[in-house]
Amino acid sequence: MRNEESAGADDEGDAGRKTVGIDEQAREATAILSQVLELMGERSEITTTEEDSEGIELAIKGDGSGLLIGRHGQTLDSLEYLVNRILARRVKDAVPITVDTESYRERRRRQLHRMALSMAEQTKREHASVMLDPMPPRDRRIVHLALKTTR
């Protein structure tokens, strides 16, 4: 009896969620992001730059890109989190959504890569550990991958 009750509860959680293709997920994510930006008072255009089974990348084009990026991409990360959470509540098995503006993600990746290599050289030269500032998991991953290639 208990197993049936818990199985019924799982079904109820999926009742409002639908299974849709990647194209429909991209449209839904674009609509969600558009609504959030509108509520923020930002007038911008959203385009889908990449769409595959690994995820969907949305690019924001508009005047307020500095405001949308925030300090070290924190606002952009928050927008991305919101879009992913809302999409996951609406769509069953939603793919990850990445939000970018003005190619910030690529610029940040290059900057972190250069910084990681520079710090690695400093460590080798001085034979001393180097402490980096705390960073979000996405940035740490970039640093780890950059250092992995230098060994």
Side-chain angles (χ1 to χ4, degrees):
M1 184 73 172
R2 276 194 147 205
N3 289 337
E4 291 173 22
E5 287 175 17
S6 63
D10 289 342
D11 292 340
E12 287 175 22
D14 289 343
R17 296 167 59 197
K18 57 190 176 212
T19 303
V20 296
I22 197 93
D23 292 337
E24 181 62 31
Q25 287 185 43
R27 280 192 291 279
E28 187 81 22
T30 301
I32 292 166
L33 182 57
S34 181
Q35 278 184 307
V36 171
L37 292 174
E38 187 178 310
L39 291 169
M40 289 175 64
E42 288 297 315
R43 295 172 50 93
S44 50
E45 178 185 332
I46 301 165
T47 57
T48 305
T49 57
E50 192 174 316
E51 189 177 307
D52 58 26
S53 61
E54 297 293 314
I56 299 168
E57 187 171 315
L58 301 177
I60 305 170
K61 290 183 172 78
D63 296 335
S65 63
L67 175 71
L68 294 177
I69 294 171
R71 184 167 190 248
H72 297 297
Q74 287 178 333
T75 307
L76 206 55
D77 289 343
S78 296
L79 283 170
E80 187 175 294
Y81 177 78
L82 273 174
V83 171
N84 277 296
R85 293 294 298 167
I86 294 170
L87 186 66
R89 285 188 161 240
R90 294 182 184 177
V91 176
K92 191 174 184 180
D93 300 324
V95 297
I97 308 295
T98 305
V99 178
D100 196 7
T101 184
E102 309 251 342
S103 300
Y104 171 77
R105 300 271 189 215
E106 182 58 29
R107 288 194 323 264
R108 179 76 174 152
R109 188 192 64 71
R110 284 195 306 263
Q111 177 189 24
L112 287 168
H113 193 271
R114 282 193 307 270
M115 184 265 313
L117 297 178
S118 168
M119 291 295 157
E121 285 301 316
Q122 179 182 341
T123 300
K124 286 180 187 176
R125 192 173 50 249
E126 297 176 2
H127 299 288
S129 297
V130 175
M131 181 79 79
L132 300 176
D133 292 332
M135 25 179 118
R138 171 181 286 173
D139 291 354
R140 280 198 310 274
R141 177 170 164 62
I142 293 168
V143 169
H144 283 283
L145 290 174
L147 295 175
K148 182 179 177 183
T149 61
T150 63
R151 291 181 182 167

